[in-house]
Amino acid sequence: MTDYGRFWSQRAKDLPKNPFVELLPLMKDPSAKVLCQGVPPDTTFPMQSIALTLVDGTSVTLTSEETRLAQRYPPFAWGPLREWLLKHIKQIHCPPVGLDWDVAIAAGSMSSVDLVCAAFIDRGDIVLIESFSFTASLDAFRSYGARLEPIPLDNEGMLPDALEAACLRLQANGQRAKFLYTIPVGQNPTGSTLSAERYDRIYQIARRFDLLIIEDDAYFYQQHRVRKLNAESDSGHAVKRQKLTSQDFDSTLPGLQLGISFLRLDTDGRVLRLDSFSKCLAPGFRLGWVSGARPLVAKYNALAYASSQNGCSLSMMLLGKMLETWGDEGLERHFLKLQSQLRDRCNALVKAAEDHLGELATWQRPEAGMFLWVEMKKAPRDREHLLQEMRNNGIAVLPGESCLSAPTSEQSCRYLRLSFVLPDEHYPEAMKRLATIMSCM
Amino acid sequence: MTDYGRFWSQRAKDLPKNPFVELLPLMKDPSAKVLCQGVPPDTTFPMQSIALTLVDGTSVTLTSEETRLAQRYPPFAWGPLREWLLKHIKQIHCPPVGLDWDVAIAAGSMSSVDLVCAAFIDRGDIVLIESFSFTASLDAFRSYGARLEPIPLDNEGMLPDALEAACLRLQANGQRAKFLYTIPVGQNPTGSTLSAERYDRIYQIARRFDLLIIEDDAYFYQQHRVRKLNAESDSGHAVKRQKLTSQDFDSTLPGLQLGISFLRLDTDGRVLRLDSFSKCLAPGFRLGWVSGARPLVAKYNALAYASSQNGCSLSMMLLGKMLETWGDEGLERHFLKLQSQLRDRCNALVKAAEDHLGELATWQRPEAGMFLWVEMKKAPRDREHLLQEMRNNGIAVLPGESCLSAPTSEQSCRYLRLSFVLPDEHYPEAMKRLATIMSCM
């Protein structure tokens, strides 16, 4: 098993033990007199009951007791959602039998990334990361003083050979990364999805160089184009091919059949998986979860005690009740709706791009997520030039510069991240405007 | 005005600019094509409408448009609550006319403390703090590597002379604290409330030694015993007296007449005020707010972008609508109920303590908050001794050791923090059990 000692940051080491942990058994004993809590009397809580009407017609009502819990501190409110998550993770990821794993509720995925930084990063620590990555994660890592080692990726995700080479290069310098941060599915910003074979190879590299893997799988439920499985491989997103054509994809949507994850492979306990309700239900709940080896999740909870407190009780109770009311069937129906909308909108954006940007830029159609990553044939002079042109032409896309793990002047401005969350009818006009911009570069 | 340069932590300095800030004008332009957002299509959000029934009979319903915003990212959801807060702060604290101030919504007060650490503390930085303080804040400061300089306090709060002496001592060593962290009202754990005169003196000391003041006023709305005003002083919680007797207190409860704050005095822009909905409405919303000079609040928001994201949209919309529906009248009714329950329960605990602990311990009746701070005449051998006795006798209180800013073996175990949030009938039995424990020390 993994020895975690070398991974913890100074902050994680210096955090005193939450004194309420040792009081908890007494606090739960109904015969005890509990005078240690700093919560206003329950009798002053303002809410009596809460009723939700869902878009699909389902009604969800919190009883007065559930409403009371929704107004208390998170440890009293997260029970139902935690139970649901334990079952869900087992069903979806089948963590290895030998892995002693746990789950913690998170105040959104960004808060998870923040607590990952808090747990592991001291200034100067090395983090391995896809050479294009999620802006806010990059910003968080940089603010914590991490040194980012970019690993190239293609349409099937991070390149294992490049990862291995980077680890060897570090080793030759007497250095070692703390963790690999990866967005394996519907990667932000490139839209790439890691092939099944690469999961295996990357996990083996993590073992060899003793790395943690932070698996940020925020777009896991947004898979909207499923690669066909062949006889050699039946456990994951994809078979290895030189070039995928439309014949390699299934016409059905995955629903809850979502394929592989690093957590599924994690015999060592070196994976901390970050999931989010933001991208598969709604960002406004500000809830996600982290799962993995118990010591990693315990440290997460310890740090959450002195910061996010694991998120909002009100959201936890409402979401817990909603998921319970839906059952797997309702959840799958919801995911199919999401996946089908994203597939259609992706098709509409790609079609409009083909119609208007064909000579001006290149891209790969993503299989998951919400983003199309576009490389312009001619780059703008600089970021301000690009922004000015966007203002002049009435279109907003994310300058790819914000997604570079190691910005270099040469390549920094030639990329754009386009999202396809708007209805179909917007894309022809949007791509026309983008073509105008690209033509005058 | 204050020059903030010396206060920022390395993390605050290293945090890149949120790229969406420069895109926001375009994102708000209805004629623009906005393809930069990473949010699932609105049409996949699960909730159609939300209805609350409040304990006081009020009904609060979010329309489908409001429900849509409650499911979006916080910047699209915080509008109504932010508007309410701007008005509320102006009315309650009257910040000085010359102060350019702002407010940010926070994901609970603990998250505010975390972001205060992130904004200001580099390892080794000095923080001035009441010699007994809030456990989780102490833990957060310690984990960030702050050096805590404890300032003694009495029943009227922090001692200005001691604060001045500490600043002079640091100055003599060529050192300077970054900020003073204080809980001025219903202090956790001591229950003390800062007198009006001391606000002034402490603010002047902060000016002289160029300190920020982090005013953590989580218990501000929990004032349940009002000191009478005399002719010399009409602007605050208290007049200066050698010893307060029951004649010095008014029989009415404050409601929304809550007296002074550091924000009210802040001509320099050196105060960041932390407020919480947890202690005056319900902790389960996980919402609070920070207010103060615009550059301080802007830095808070910048750090929240890469961590808490300012809390939960669902809570923001529900709370915003609830407060709007209540108006000031409904809010004051709620506060009076809270204050009256806390007053009665405080009286019940103090009465039971007088009946059972008179010979064994000393305390001061608090004027605000939820805590009675008890000093035992005989200390337990150590923390484990105390915990074992609590388990043996079926009572849970917070060992005062957890609240010491600078633990010393001599005093660390002689304090207990008792909360008075349970109904009255629990206290006689609870104090009997505590007396049993104290008698066998």
Side-chain angles (χ1 to χ4, degrees):
Chain A
M1 290 302 287
T2 305
D3 173 9
Y4 300 102
R6 87 160 184 96
F7 294 113
W8 306 133
S9 70
Q10 197 57 46
R11 179 167 157 205
K13 288 181 201 156
D14 286 354
L15 183 69
K17 232 170 76 182
N18 175 351
F20 285 95
V21 170
E22 60 190 5
L23 293 171
L24 211 59
L26 260 172
M27 290 168 77
K28 287 184 170 165
D29 174 357
S31 73
K33 297 292 179 189
V34 177
L35 276 68
C36 59
Q37 294 172 93
V39 194
D42 289 8
T43 45
T44 65
F45 288 169
M47 300 179 341
Q48 177 70 41
S49 69
I50 312 176
L52 282 185
T53 306
L54 303 187
V55 171
D56 66 9
T58 312
S59 292
V60 177
T61 309
L62 295 195
T63 64
S64 67
E65 174 59 13
E66 288 164 340
T67 305
R68 193 178 73 85
L69 296 178
Q71 294 174 91
R72 296 197 71 191
Y73 275 104
F76 298 92
W78 66 42
L81 185 57
R82 218 184 102 82
E83 286 310 307
W84 185 89
L85 285 170
L86 286 168
K87 250 195 298 186
H88 179 74
I89 292 166
K90 219 166 166 176
Q91 172 194 336
I92 299 285
H93 300 291
C94 309
V97 183
L99 180 69
D100 181 21
W101 63 276
D102 197 7
V103 63
I105 296 175
S109 203
M110 196 60 234
S111 168
S112 300
V113 170
D114 176 54
L115 291 182
V116 161
C117 294
F120 304 119
I121 301 180
D122 287 319
R123 303 195 79 79
D125 280 350
I126 300 165
V127 169
L128 299 156
I129 186 166
E130 282 119 5
S131 52
F132 309 107
S133 189
F134 173 42
T135 307
S137 289
L138 288 169
D139 290 351
F141 294 147
R142 287 185 178 123
S143 78
Y144 275 84
R147 216 186 85 195
L148 301 178
E149 279 289 329
I151 312 295
L153 75 170
D154 64 16
N155 207 35
E156 293 186 36
M158 181 181 282
L159 300 169
D161 290 345
L163 175 63
E164 188 178 25
C167 291
L168 286 169
R169 217 163 41 239
L170 290 171
Q171 199 176 48
N173 290 327
Q175 295 175 316
R176 199 156 54 155
K178 279 254 179 106
F179 60 77
L180 165 66
Y181 173 82
T182 179
I183 306 172
V185 176
Q187 206 253 1
N188 185 349
T190 65
S192 79
T193 291
L194 196 66
S195 66
E197 187 222 14
R198 289 190 187 175
Y199 275 89
D200 260 328
R201 282 212 52 211
I202 289 171
Y203 191 76
Q204 293 311 322
I205 295 167
R207 300 190 85 169
R208 176 170 159 210
F209 294 96
D210 191 25
L211 303 172
L212 298 182
I213 297 177
I214 308 300
E215 174 176 39
D216 184 348
D217 223 349
Y219 314 98
F220 182 67
Y221 298 97
Q222 292 191 343
Q223 298 178 47
H224 42 79
R225 204 185 196 202
V226 181
R227 295 181 210 173
K228 280 186 192 157
L229 301 176
N230 72 1
E232 283 84 6
S233 161
D234 62 0
S235 65
H237 302 293
V239 295
K240 170 89 182 153
R241 283 173 198 279
Q242 282 316 94
K243 207 168 163 52
L244 297 165
T245 70
S246 61
Q247 277 78 52
D248 297 312
F249 295 97
D250 213 310
S251 63
T252 60
L253 290 162
L256 275 165
Q257 303 302 313
L258 293 156
I260 203 172
S261 66
F262 282 110
L263 183 60
R264 186 187 287 262
L265 304 176
D266 190 23
T267 45
D268 288 358
R270 59 176 70 255
V271 172
L272 189 63
R273 186 179 156 84
L274 318 185
D275 278 277
S276 171
F277 284 114
S278 295
K279 311 301 188 187
C280 65
L281 283 167
F285 289 103
R286 294 285 74 226
L287 286 180
W289 66 98
V290 303
S291 53
R294 195 172 296 277
L296 295 175
V297 174
K299 189 62 82 178
Y300 186 92
N301 276 327
L303 287 159
Y305 144 72
S307 58
S308 72
Q309 307 220 326
N310 301 82
C312 169
S313 308
L314 189 59
S315 283
M316 290 176 197
M317 288 300 295
L318 282 173
L319 201 49
K321 192 75 182 264
M322 191 178 106
L323 291 168
E324 186 200 309
T325 308
W326 264 352
D328 272 358
E329 210 184 316
L331 184 67
E332 182 150 46
R333 224 175 6 245
H334 172 76
F335 286 159
L336 286 169
K337 178 179 173 185
L338 173 69
Q339 292 160 357
S340 126
Q341 285 205 17
L342 287 175
R343 179 187 55 192
D344 296 348
R345 292 176 181 203
C346 183
N347 288 341
L349 172 59
V350 168
K351 170 77 170 60
E354 283 165 357
D355 289 348
H356 298 282
L357 306 182
E359 305 297 306
L360 300 162
T362 57
W363 57 85
Q364 294 264 20
R365 192 207 183 282
E367 294 157 34
M370 300 176 283
F371 305 115
L372 188 71
W373 185 239
V374 170
E375 184 175 355
M376 295 181 275
K377 292 200 175 147
K378 283 174 69 184
R381 264 196 319 280
D382 54 26
R383 185 189 185 89
E384 187 42 43
H385 179 197
L386 177 61
L387 286 166
Q388 190 52 53
E389 286 300 326
M390 291 203 288
R391 285 189 288 264
N392 291 346
N393 290 279
I395 178 163
V397 304
L398 185 68
E401 191 183 15
S402 299
C403 311
L404 293 171
S405 303
T408 61
S409 58
E410 191 223 334
Q411 62 169 355
S412 58
C413 288
R414 50 186 324 115
Y415 295 97
L416 304 174
R417 192 195 76 177
L418 280 49
S419 62
F420 43 84
V421 301
L422 293 183
D424 299 3
E425 65 269 21
H426 290 280
Y427 300 115
E429 174 61 23
M431 291 307 99
K432 247 186 255 173
R433 295 184 189 182
L434 209 51
T436 309
I437 294 179
M438 289 184 188
S439 306
C440 73
M441 288 289 150
Chain B
M1 289 303 283
T2 304
D3 172 9
Y4 300 103
R6 87 161 185 96
F7 295 112
W8 307 133
S9 70
Q10 197 58 45
R11 179 167 156 205
K13 287 180 202 156
D14 286 354
L15 183 70
K17 233 170 77 181
N18 175 351
F20 286 95
V21 169
E22 58 189 5
L23 294 171
L24 212 59
L26 260 173
M27 291 169 75
K28 287 185 171 164
D29 174 357
S31 74
K33 297 293 177 188
V34 178
L35 275 67
C36 59
Q37 295 171 92
V39 195
D42 288 10
T43 46
T44 65
F45 288 169
M47 301 181 338
Q48 176 70 41
S49 69
I50 312 176
L52 282 183
T53 307
L54 302 187
V55 171
D56 66 10
T58 311
S59 292
V60 177
T61 308
L62 295 197
T63 63
S64 67
E65 174 57 14
E66 289 164 341
T67 306
R68 192 178 74 85
L69 296 178
Q71 294 173 92
R72 296 198 71 189
Y73 275 104
F76 299 92
W78 66 41
L81 184 58
R82 217 183 102 83
E83 285 310 307
W84 184 89
L85 284 169
L86 286 168
K87 250 194 300 186
H88 179 74
I89 292 166
K90 216 163 167 181
Q91 172 194 337
I92 299 286
H93 299 292
C94 310
V97 182
L99 180 68
D100 181 21
W101 62 277
D102 197 7
V103 64
I105 297 174
S109 206
M110 196 60 233
S111 168
S112 299
V113 170
D114 176 53
L115 290 182
V116 161
C117 294
F120 304 118
I121 300 180
D122 287 318
R123 304 196 79 80
D125 279 350
I126 300 166
V127 169
L128 298 156
I129 186 166
E130 281 119 5
S131 54
F132 309 107
S133 190
F134 173 42
T135 307
S137 289
L138 288 169
D139 290 350
F141 294 146
R142 286 183 179 126
S143 78
Y144 275 84
R147 215 185 88 196
L148 301 178
E149 278 289 330
I151 311 296
L153 73 171
D154 65 15
N155 207 36
E156 293 185 38
M158 180 181 283
L159 301 170
D161 289 345
L163 175 63
E164 187 178 24
C167 291
L168 287 168
R169 216 162 43 238
L170 290 170
Q171 197 175 50
N173 290 326
Q175 295 173 317
R176 198 155 57 156
K178 278 256 179 103
F179 60 78
L180 165 67
Y181 171 84
T182 178
I183 306 172
V185 176
Q187 206 255 0
N188 184 350
T190 66
S192 80
T193 291
L194 196 66
S195 66
E197 189 224 11
R198 289 190 186 174
Y199 275 88
D200 261 328
R201 281 211 53 212
I202 289 171
Y203 191 77
Q204 293 310 322
I205 294 167
R207 301 191 83 169
R208 178 171 158 207
F209 294 95
D210 190 24
L211 302 171
L212 298 182
I213 297 176
I214 308 300
E215 175 175 38
D216 183 350
D217 223 347
Y219 314 99
F220 181 68
Y221 299 97
Q222 292 190 344
Q223 297 179 49
H224 42 78
R225 202 182 197 203
V226 181
R227 297 181 209 173
K228 280 185 193 159
L229 301 175
N230 72 2
E232 285 84 7
S233 161
D234 62 0
S235 64
H237 303 293
V239 295
K240 169 90 185 151
R241 282 173 197 280
Q242 282 319 91
K243 208 169 162 49
L244 297 164
T245 70
S246 61
Q247 277 77 51
D248 297 310
F249 294 96
D250 215 309
S251 61
T252 59
L253 289 162
L256 275 164
Q257 302 302 311
L258 292 156
I260 203 171
S261 66
F262 282 109
L263 183 60
R264 186 187 288 262
L265 304 176
D266 190 22
T267 45
D268 288 358
R270 58 176 71 256
V271 173
L272 188 63
R273 185 178 158 83
L274 317 185
D275 278 276
S276 171
F277 284 114
S278 295
K279 311 301 188 188
C280 65
L281 282 167
F285 290 102
R286 294 283 76 224
L287 287 180
W289 66 98
V290 303
S291 53
R294 196 172 296 275
L296 296 175
V297 174
K299 188 62 84 178
Y300 186 92
N301 276 327
L303 287 158
Y305 143 72
S307 58
S308 71
Q309 307 221 323
N310 301 84
C312 170
S313 308
L314 188 62
S315 283
M316 289 177 197
M317 288 299 295
L318 281 172
L319 200 51
K321 191 75 183 258
M322 190 178 108
L323 291 168
E324 185 200 308
T325 308
W326 264 354
D328 273 359
E329 211 183 313
L331 184 68
E332 182 150 47
R333 223 172 10 243
H334 172 77
F335 286 159
L336 286 169
K337 178 178 172 183
L338 172 70
Q339 291 160 357
S340 125
Q341 284 205 17
L342 288 174
R343 179 187 57 193
D344 295 349
R345 291 175 182 202
C346 182
N347 288 341
L349 172 58
V350 168
K351 169 78 169 60
E354 283 165 356
D355 290 347
H356 298 281
L357 307 181
E359 305 297 304
L360 300 161
T362 57
W363 58 85
Q364 295 264 17
R365 191 205 184 283
E367 293 157 33
M370 301 177 283
F371 305 116
L372 188 71
W373 185 239
V374 169
E375 182 175 357
M376 296 182 275
K377 291 200 174 147
K378 284 174 70 185
R381 263 196 320 281
D382 54 27
R383 185 188 184 89
E384 187 41 45
H385 179 196
L386 177 60
L387 285 168
Q388 190 51 53
E389 286 300 327
M390 291 204 286
R391 285 189 287 264
N392 291 345
N393 291 278
I395 179 165
V397 304
L398 185 68
E401 191 184 14
S402 299
C403 311
L404 292 172
S405 304
T408 61
S409 57
E410 191 223 335
Q411 61 170 356
S412 60
C413 289
R414 49 186 324 117
Y415 296 96
L416 303 174
R417 192 195 76 177
L418 280 49
S419 62
F420 42 85
V421 301
L422 294 181
D424 298 5
E425 65 268 22
H426 290 281
Y427 300 115
E429 174 62 22
M431 292 307 99
K432 246 186 254 172
R433 295 183 190 183
L434 210 50
T436 309
I437 294 179
M438 289 184 188
S439 306
C440 73
M441 289 290 150

